[in-house]
Amino acid sequence: MSDPTPAFPPVHVYALAHRCTTCGAEPGQPCDAPRKEADVDNLMEQRHQSGLPQLEWDSLRLMHARRQDAGRRHLERDEQNAPQPADRVPGRRYDTLG
Ligand SMILES: [Zn+2]
């Protein structure tokens, strides 16, 4: 089980907060990635036809790689600048997303 009040938001939230340098999506806007969307649609359709339950897609899947990288780097920077896990105040967030 994961901590209900993590010190940092998940990486896809970080990635979404960055402008995408690949497709030019503004912060908060999804990537313009029709091929990625089509891939996910195909997979969903295959699962549906095979009688498999649908998955909840990680929204990172629909973002361009460079935007994901920007989000990861930002998260790593925040983690490095935050206090050590033992010194953190429970329930407090240490991200710089504002
Ligand atoms: Zn993009």
Side-chain angles (χ1 to χ4, degrees), residues 20 22-23 25 31-32 64 67:
C20 183
T22 301
C23 69
C31 272
D32 179 19
H64 287 115
R67 195 181 198 185

Side-chain angles (χ1 to χ4, degrees), residues 1 11 16-17 20-21 24 37 49 53 55 58 85 87 90 92 98:
M1 291 299 282
V11 67
L16 201 60
C20 183
T21 54
E37 282 174 30
Q49 288 181 359
L55 299 173
D58 182 344
D87 296 334
R92 183 167 160 199

Side-chain angles (χ1 to χ4, degrees), residues 78-95:
D78 280 358
E79 283 176 340
Q80 282 161 11
N81 291 334
Q84 292 298 303
D87 296 334
R88 291 176 192 163
V89 179
R92 183 167 160 199
R93 294 224 332 218
Y94 291 91
D95 63 275

Side-chain angles (χ1 to χ4, degrees), residues 12-51:
H12 68 87
V13 174
Y14 270 91
L16 201 60
H18 284 257
R19 189 174 181 278
C20 183
T21 54
T22 301
C23 69
E26 295 295 331
Q29 298 295 313
C31 272
D32 179 19
R35 267 185 311 173
K36 287 173 185 283
E37 282 174 30
D39 284 350
V40 168
D41 283 349
N42 286 340
L43 276 166
M44 301 256 262
E45 183 59 25
Q46 281 169 23
R47 290 183 70 85
H48 179 70
Q49 288 181 359
S50 314

